[in-house]
Each structure stands twice: as C-alpha cells, then as structure tokens.
Coordinates of all heavy atoms in Angstrom, one line a residue:
S23 N -1.1 7.2 8.2 CA -0.9 6.7 9.6 C 0.3 5.8 9.6 O 1.1 5.9 10.6 CB -2.1 6.0 10.0 OG -1.9 5.5 11.4
L24 N 0.5 5.0 8.6 CA 1.6 4.1 8.6 C 2.9 4.9 8.4 O 4.0 4.6 9.0 CB 1.6 3.2 7.4 CG 0.4 2.1 7.4 CD1 0.4 1.4 6.1 CD2 0.7 1.1 8.6
V25 N 3.0 6.0 7.6 CA 4.1 6.9 7.5 C 4.3 7.6 8.8 O 5.5 7.7 9.2 CB 3.9 7.9 6.3 CG1 5.0 8.9 6.3 CG2 3.8 7.1 5.0
D26 N 3.3 8.2 9.4 CA 3.4 8.9 10.6 C 4.0 8.0 11.8 O 4.7 8.5 12.6 CB 2.1 9.5 11.1 CG 1.6 10.7 10.2 OD1 2.4 11.1 9.3 OD2 0.4 11.0 10.3
S27 N 3.7 6.8 11.8 CA 4.2 5.9 12.8 C 5.5 5.3 12.4 O 6.0 4.3 13.1 CB 3.1 4.8 13.1 OG 2.8 4.0 12.0
K28 N 6.1 5.6 11.3 CA 7.4 5.2 10.8 C 7.4 3.8 10.4 O 8.5 3.2 10.3 CB 8.4 5.6 11.8 CG 8.4 7.0 12.3 CD 9.5 7.8 11.7 CE 9.6 9.1 12.4 NZ 8.9 10.2 11.8
L29 N 6.3 3.1 10.1 CA 6.3 1.8 9.6 C 6.7 1.7 8.2 O 7.3 0.7 7.8 CB 4.9 1.1 9.8 CG 4.5 0.8 11.2 CD1 3.1 0.3 11.2 CD2 5.4 -0.2 11.8
I30 N 6.4 2.7 7.5 CA 6.9 2.9 6.1 C 7.4 4.3 5.9 O 7.0 5.2 6.8 CB 5.8 2.6 5.0 CG1 4.6 3.4 5.1 CG2 5.5 1.1 5.1 CD1 3.6 3.2 4.0
K31 N 8.1 4.6 4.9 CA 8.6 5.9 4.6 C 7.8 6.5 3.3 O 7.4 5.7 2.5 CB 10.1 6.0 4.2 CG 10.9 5.5 5.3 CD 12.4 5.4 4.8 CE 13.2 4.7 5.9 NZ 14.6 4.4 5.4
S32 N 7.6 7.8 3.3 CA 6.9 8.4 2.2 C 7.7 8.1 0.9 O 7.1 8.2 -0.2 CB 6.8 9.9 2.5 OG 7.9 10.6 2.5
S33 N 9.0 7.9 0.9 CA 9.8 7.6 -0.3 C 9.7 6.2 -0.7 O 10.2 5.8 -1.8 CB 11.2 8.0 0.0 OG 11.7 7.3 1.1
D34 N 9.1 5.3 0.1 CA 8.9 3.9 -0.2 C 8.0 3.7 -1.4 O 7.1 4.5 -1.6 CB 8.4 3.1 1.0 CG 9.4 2.8 2.1 OD1 10.6 2.9 1.8 OD2 9.0 2.5 3.2
S35 N 8.2 2.7 -2.2 CA 7.3 2.3 -3.3 C 6.0 1.9 -2.8 O 5.9 1.3 -1.7 CB 7.9 1.3 -4.2 OG 9.1 1.8 -4.7
L36 N 4.9 2.1 -3.5 CA 3.6 1.7 -3.1 C 3.4 0.2 -2.9 O 2.7 -0.3 -2.0 CB 2.6 2.1 -4.2 CG 2.2 3.6 -4.2 CD1 1.3 3.9 -5.4 CD2 1.5 4.0 -2.9
W37 N 4.2 -0.6 -3.6 CA 4.2 -2.0 -3.5 C 4.5 -2.4 -2.0 O 4.0 -3.6 -1.6 CB 5.1 -2.8 -4.4 CG 6.5 -2.6 -4.2 CD1 7.3 -1.7 -4.8 CD2 7.4 -3.2 -3.2 NE1 8.6 -1.7 -4.3 CE2 8.7 -2.6 -3.3 CE3 7.2 -4.2 -2.2 CZ2 9.8 -3.0 -2.5 CZ3 8.3 -4.6 -1.4 CH2 9.5 -4.0 -1.6
K38 N 5.2 -1.7 -1.3 CA 5.6 -2.0 0.1 C 4.3 -2.1 1.0 O 4.4 -2.9 1.9 CB 6.5 -1.0 0.7 CG 7.2 -1.5 1.9 CD 8.4 -0.6 2.2 CE 9.2 -1.3 3.4 NZ 10.4 -0.4 3.6
I39 N 3.3 -1.4 0.7 CA 2.0 -1.5 1.5 C 1.4 -2.8 1.3 O 0.5 -3.2 2.1 CB 1.1 -0.3 1.4 CG1 0.5 -0.2 0.0 CG2 1.8 1.0 1.9 CD1 -0.5 0.9 -0.1
A40 N 1.7 -3.5 0.3 CA 1.1 -4.9 0.0 C 1.4 -5.8 1.2 O 0.6 -6.6 1.5 CB 1.7 -5.4 -1.3
L41 N 2.5 -5.7 1.8 CA 2.9 -6.6 2.9 C 1.9 -6.4 4.1 O 1.7 -7.3 4.9 CB 4.4 -6.3 3.3 CG 5.4 -6.4 2.2 CD1 6.7 -5.9 2.7 CD2 5.5 -7.8 1.7
L42 N 1.4 -5.2 4.1 CA 0.5 -4.9 5.3 C -1.0 -5.1 5.0 O -1.7 -5.2 6.0 CB 0.7 -3.4 5.7 CG 2.1 -3.0 6.0 CD1 2.3 -1.5 6.1 CD2 2.6 -3.6 7.3
Y43 N -1.4 -5.3 3.7 CA -2.8 -5.5 3.4 C -3.1 -6.9 3.1 O -4.3 -7.3 2.9 CB -3.1 -4.6 2.3 CG -3.4 -3.2 2.8 CD1 -2.4 -2.2 2.9 CD2 -4.7 -2.8 3.2 CE1 -2.7 -1.0 3.3 CE2 -5.0 -1.5 3.8 CZ -4.0 -0.6 3.8 OH -4.2 0.6 4.3
G44 N -2.1 -7.8 3.0 CA -2.4 -9.2 2.8 C -3.3 -9.5 1.7 O -3.2 -9.1 0.6
D45 N -4.4 -10.3 2.1 CA -5.4 -10.8 1.2 C -6.2 -9.6 0.5 O -6.8 -9.9 -0.6 CB -6.4 -11.7 1.8 CG -5.8 -13.0 2.2 OD1 -4.6 -13.3 1.8 OD2 -6.4 -13.8 3.1
D46 N -6.3 -8.5 1.2 CA -7.0 -7.4 0.5 C -6.2 -6.6 -0.5 O -6.7 -5.7 -1.2 CB -7.4 -6.3 1.7 CG -8.5 -6.9 2.6 OD1 -9.2 -7.8 2.1 OD2 -8.5 -6.4 3.8
W47 N -4.9 -6.9 -0.6 CA -4.0 -6.2 -1.5 C -4.4 -6.2 -2.9 O -4.4 -5.1 -3.6 CB -2.6 -6.6 -1.4 CG -1.7 -5.9 -2.3 CD1 -0.9 -6.4 -3.3 CD2 -1.5 -4.5 -2.4 NE1 -0.3 -5.5 -4.0 CE2 -0.6 -4.2 -3.5 CE3 -1.9 -3.4 -1.6 CZ2 -0.2 -3.0 -3.8 CZ3 -1.5 -2.1 -2.0 CH2 -0.7 -1.9 -3.1
P48 N -4.8 -7.3 -3.5 CA -5.3 -7.3 -5.0 C -6.3 -6.3 -5.2 O -6.3 -5.5 -6.3 CB -5.7 -8.7 -5.3 CG -5.0 -9.6 -4.3 CD -4.9 -8.7 -3.0
H49 N -7.3 -6.1 -4.4 CA -8.3 -5.1 -4.6 C -7.7 -3.7 -4.5 O -8.0 -2.9 -5.4 CB -9.3 -5.2 -3.4 CG -10.2 -4.0 -3.3 ND1 -11.3 -3.7 -4.2 CD2 -10.2 -3.0 -2.5 CE1 -11.8 -2.6 -3.9 NE2 -11.3 -2.1 -2.8
W50 N -6.9 -3.4 -3.5 CA -6.3 -2.0 -3.4 C -5.2 -1.8 -4.5 O -5.2 -0.6 -5.0 CB -5.6 -1.9 -2.0 CG -6.7 -1.7 -1.0 CD1 -6.8 -2.7 0.1 CD2 -7.7 -0.8 -0.8 NE1 -8.0 -2.3 0.8 CE2 -8.5 -1.2 0.3 CE3 -8.0 0.4 -1.6 CZ2 -9.6 -0.3 0.7 CZ3 -9.1 1.2 -1.1 CH2 -9.8 0.8 0.0
K51 N -4.6 -2.7 -5.0 CA -3.6 -2.6 -6.1 C -4.4 -2.2 -7.3 O -4.0 -1.3 -8.1 CB -2.9 -3.9 -6.3 CG -1.9 -3.8 -7.4 CD -1.2 -5.2 -7.7 CE -0.2 -5.1 -8.9 NZ 0.4 -6.3 -9.2
Q52 N -5.5 -2.9 -7.6 CA -6.3 -2.6 -8.8 C -6.9 -1.1 -8.6 O -6.9 -0.4 -9.5 CB -7.5 -3.5 -8.9 CG -8.3 -3.4 -10.2 CD -7.4 -3.5 -11.5 OE1 -6.7 -4.5 -11.6 NE2 -7.4 -2.5 -12.3
E53 N -7.3 -0.7 -7.4 CA -7.9 0.6 -7.2 C -6.8 1.6 -7.6 O -7.0 2.6 -8.2 CB -8.4 0.8 -5.8 CG -9.7 0.1 -5.5 CD -10.9 0.7 -6.1 OE1 -10.9 2.0 -6.3 OE2 -11.8 0.0 -6.4
L54 N -5.6 1.4 -7.0 CA -4.5 2.3 -7.2 C -4.1 2.4 -8.8 O -3.9 3.5 -9.3 CB -3.2 1.9 -6.5 CG -3.3 2.1 -4.9 CD1 -2.2 1.3 -4.3 CD2 -3.2 3.6 -4.6
Q55 N -4.1 1.3 -9.4 CA -3.9 1.3 -10.8 C -4.9 2.0 -11.7 O -4.6 2.7 -12.6 CB -3.6 -0.2 -11.3 CG -2.3 -0.7 -10.8 CD -2.2 -2.3 -11.1 OE1 -3.2 -2.9 -11.3 NE2 -0.9 -2.6 -11.3
D56 N -6.1 1.8 -11.2 CA -7.3 2.5 -11.9 C -7.2 4.0 -11.8 O -7.6 4.8 -12.7 CB -8.6 2.1 -11.3 CG -9.0 0.6 -11.6 OD1 -8.4 0.0 -12.5 OD2 -10.0 0.1 -11.0
F57 N -6.5 4.5 -10.8 CA -6.2 5.9 -10.6 C -4.9 6.3 -11.2 O -4.5 7.5 -11.0 CB -6.3 6.3 -9.2 CG -7.8 6.5 -8.7 CD1 -8.4 5.5 -7.9 CD2 -8.5 7.7 -8.9 CE1 -9.7 5.6 -7.5 CE2 -9.8 7.8 -8.6 CZ -10.3 6.8 -7.8

C-alpha cells in the first residue's frame, strides 16, 4: 500500500519503512531478519 501510494519506492531499502513504523519497528525488523 505504501508503494502503491508512492510514499516509498519498490527500489527503496527495507530500512526506509522503519521511519513509518516507529516504536513497532524493532519487532518488524526482527521478523524480517528471521526470514
């Protein structure tokens, strides 16, 4: 949805979504790394 609304680009690095997830980012970062 963020890509479709042009808030981020599909070529952007994953770390860029950290700015949008705030306090929840450590959890999602760990999930992504686990995968």
Side-chain angles (χ1 to χ4, degrees):
S23 177
L24 294 171
V25 171
D26 291 346
S27 62
K28 310 254 188 270
L29 289 172
I30 60 174
K31 298 176 188 169
S32 62
S33 59
D34 287 339
S35 298
L36 286 172
W37 65 262
K38 195 165 187 180
I39 63 176
L41 302 172
L42 303 168
Y43 279 89
D45 292 342
D46 292 334
W47 178 242
H49 166 75
W50 290 115
K51 179 180 178 185
Q52 186 61 53
E53 288 287 327
L54 288 164
Q55 290 173 331
D56 289 348
F57 279 100

